[in-house]
């Protein structure tokens, strides 16, 4: 039995992970900005967390530790997106995406590492995205924030040499959740309207046809049980998790841009 903190446990991937871990007998602290949204199930303890606020991050971590005594695993999962043209993306939007998807996650990871290093063991899973490698058009802030989190995770994997404290970059492809419902779509710039609506249509279609969040939950359970978790893992349907990243890796940049534009119909 492990003590596990899962951020963004009120919905989608985080909720599936939290439920599955609790069912496997682990004690889970699950976060939301509104703890009423965390379902009342045995071994799932609600914790308030707003990644937009560094004080809330400190408080959430301290509350988890004071309730749990110690922490074995952090699943850095919470996140939200924005959809709009990069050319006119307000600096506030970019800053807010980076606060939620990069700075907040790093703050939480550093707090967890300070706790795990002296204990001599632990696991941190940073949920970035396949979008860090295959960007989605009109999600420039989101894509680049996820790429920054993936790069930070790999950087710390290079430096942090503790055999029993592991850090994993988990990159979901499309997973069927309510993520798109929370996405703010900015399509007021006339010259981008058609492209935005086409790209959004593809994004929505992909989400509808995607595997459910239980797929990610199963991967997390196996990561927690593994003695040698991989540094990076991609989760999604076979095309997104295996074929597309493999093809993409060997294509010249010009073809990557062409291929993605074709794929999204823009
Ligand atoms: N679904 C996909 O296709 C997909 C693909 C690649 C990566 N991902 C990543 O997977 C993670 C989970 O996404 P999901 O699909 O499960 O989305 P979701 O169903 O919308 O869940 C997002 C979770 O994050 C929390 N959250 C949002 N903004 C927050 C903030 N400012 N502070 C703290 N918590 C916040 C939400 O909690 P409250 O609203 O209750 O606070 C919610 O529990 C995200 O990091 C996302 O980028 C998803």
């Amino acid at each position: 039995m492990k003590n596990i903190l899962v951020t963004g446990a009120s919905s989608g991937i985080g909720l599936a992970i939290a439920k599955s871990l609790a069912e496997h007998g682990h004690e889970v602290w699950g976060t939301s900005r509104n703890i009423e949204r965390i379902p009342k199930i045995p071994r799932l303890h609600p914790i308030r967390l707003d990644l937009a606020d560094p004080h809330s991050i400190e408080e959430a971590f301290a509350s988890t530790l004071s309730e749990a005594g110690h922490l074995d695993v952090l699943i850095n999962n919470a996140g939200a997106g924005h959809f709009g043209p990069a050319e006119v993306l307000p600096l506030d939007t970019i800053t807010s995406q980076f606060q939620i998807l990069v700075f907040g996650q790093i703050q939480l990871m550093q707090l967890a590492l300070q706790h795990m290093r002296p204990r001599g063991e632990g696991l941190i899973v940073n949920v970035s995205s396949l979008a860090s490698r295959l960007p989605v058009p009109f999600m420039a802030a989101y894509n680049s924030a996820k790429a920054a989190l993936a790069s930070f995770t790999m950087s710390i994997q290079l430096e942090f040499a503790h055999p029993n404290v592991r850090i994993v970059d988990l990159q979901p492809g499309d997973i069927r959740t309510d993520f798109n419902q929370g996405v703010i779509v900015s399509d007021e710039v006339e010259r981008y309207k058609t492209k935005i609506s086409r790209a959004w249509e593809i994004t929505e279609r992909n989400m509808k046809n995607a595997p459910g969040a239980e797929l990610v939950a199963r991967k997390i359970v196996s990561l927690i049980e593994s003695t040698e978790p991989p540094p990076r893992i991609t989760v999604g349907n076979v095309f997104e998790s295996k074929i597309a990243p493999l093809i993409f890796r060997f294509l010249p940049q010009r073809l990557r841009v062409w291929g993605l534009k074709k794929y999204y119909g823009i």
Side-chain angles (χ1 to χ4, degrees):
M1 188 278 289
K2 293 191 188 298
N3 289 349
I4 302 172
L5 174 58
V6 181
T7 69
S10 62
S11 152
I13 294 172
L15 177 58
I17 293 171
K19 275 184 177 165
S20 173
L21 292 173
E23 278 160 21
H24 278 78
H26 300 292
E27 293 294 327
V28 181
W29 280 263
T31 80
S32 167
R33 285 166 291 181
N34 173 3
I35 55 169
E36 298 302 317
R37 298 186 59 200
I38 304 285
K40 291 172 184 52
I41 56 174
R43 291 185 291 281
L44 175 54
H45 316 279
I47 291 280
R48 208 195 88 79
L49 168 72
D50 184 354
L51 285 168
D53 174 7
H55 297 296
S56 165
I57 297 172
E58 264 175 43
E59 276 172 22
F61 191 78
S63 308
T64 305
L65 270 194
S66 87
E67 287 180 26
H70 76 272
L71 192 66
D72 299 295
V73 182
L74 163 66
I75 314 286
N76 234 338
N77 160 78
H82 180 273
F83 208 86
E87 183 190 351
V88 292
L89 210 51
L91 190 55
D92 280 357
T93 305
I94 302 169
T95 307
S96 137
Q97 284 275 270
F98 270 71
Q99 172 58 39
I100 293 168
L101 299 172
V102 188
F103 307 139
Q105 316 265 357
I106 292 172
Q107 186 185 347
L108 210 41
M109 171 166 64
Q110 289 178 334
L111 287 167
L113 286 174
Q114 280 161 29
H115 171 73
M116 288 171 180
R117 180 187 276 282
R119 293 195 77 241
E121 59 182 0
L123 172 69
I124 295 172
V125 180
N126 289 331
V127 178
S128 67
S129 172
L130 187 59
S132 65
R133 286 181 278 158
L134 278 73
V136 179
F138 302 109
M139 294 193 78
Y142 178 85
N143 300 328
S144 52
K146 291 294 191 182
L149 179 65
S151 177
F152 199 97
T153 305
M154 189 170 176
S155 306
I156 202 160
Q157 286 167 345
L158 300 177
E159 298 167 21
F160 190 85
H162 196 299
N164 294 323
V165 180
R166 321 280 169 132
I167 304 158
V168 176
D169 174 11
L170 187 142
Q171 304 202 334
D174 286 304
I175 300 293
R176 202 176 58 254
T177 68
D178 290 340
F179 183 84
N180 280 359
Q181 265 93 301
V183 169
I184 300 157
V185 181
S186 313
D187 67 347
E188 50 284 336
V189 181
E190 196 54 45
R191 64 185 176 281
Y192 281 113
K193 272 191 174 183
T194 310
K195 284 184 175 182
I196 288 182
S197 98
R198 280 192 197 134
W200 181 250
E201 207 177 293
I202 303 292
T203 309
E204 286 274 70
R205 186 199 65 194
N206 287 350
M207 182 67 97
K208 279 198 188 87
N209 297 332
E214 294 68 30
L215 180 68
V216 187
R218 282 199 295 277
K219 289 282 177 193
I220 291 284
V221 170
S222 69
L223 279 181
I224 287 172
E225 286 166 1
S226 161
T227 48
E228 283 294 332
R232 185 174 82 183
I233 178 167
T234 312
V235 189
N237 67 28
V238 175
F239 179 73
E240 289 191 354
S241 65
K242 301 232 169 3
I243 300 169
L246 185 71
I247 298 171
F248 210 68
R249 192 192 303 172
F250 297 108
L251 288 181
Q253 192 70 350
R254 189 187 296 278
L255 275 180
R256 289 176 176 170
V257 173
W258 177 85
L260 284 171
K261 283 171 86 165
K262 276 267 170 227
Y263 181 77
Y264 284 99
I266 61 170

